[in-house]
Amino acid sequence: MNKKVLTSSLALAFLLLNLVSTSSPHSLARTPSTRTEPPADVLSLLPASDAVAVVDVHRLLNEALPRIFSGDLAKLAQVNSDVEQFKTRTGIDPRTFDRVALGLR
C-alpha cells in the first residue's frame, strides 16, 4: 500500500473521530459492561451507512504509525503529540480503544 494513501487514510480516520467526538460529547461515552472483548462484527452496530471504516486503533498506534514514520522520528513525535492533545481536549484516550467503527451517510 502506498504510504501517501495510508497516511491520508489515517488522517481522515482521526479527523472523523475528532469530528464525531466534538459534535456529540456523549456519543463515545462507554457504558459499564462485563464484556472483555469487542463484538465479532462491529459493523452490525452501525446504522445504515453509505461508507464504513473500521480502524484497529491499538494496532494503528503501536505498529503501523511507528513503521510508517520510522525514518522521520520528528513526525512520529508530532503524531504522538497530536494524540495527547486530542486526549487533553476531549478527555478521551484513543489508546484505550481496540477498534473504532465509523459510518458515513
Side-chain angles (χ1 to χ4, degrees), residues 11-72:
L12 178 62
F14 279 120
L15 176 67
L16 291 174
L17 182 61
N18 188 16
L19 180 65
V20 169
S21 68
T22 58
S23 65
S24 177
H26 301 292
S27 64
L28 294 176
R30 288 188 162 188
T31 56
S33 174
T34 57
R35 270 190 105 115
T36 58
E37 58 185 67
D41 186 17
V42 294
L43 296 178
S44 67
L45 301 174
L46 293 175
S49 303
D50 294 326
V52 295
V54 177
V55 179
D56 185 340
V57 179
H58 179 73
R59 189 169 182 193
L60 172 72
L61 293 175
N62 295 323
E63 295 177 26
L65 289 178
R67 264 193 222 144
I68 292 168
F69 297 117
S70 64
D72 190 357

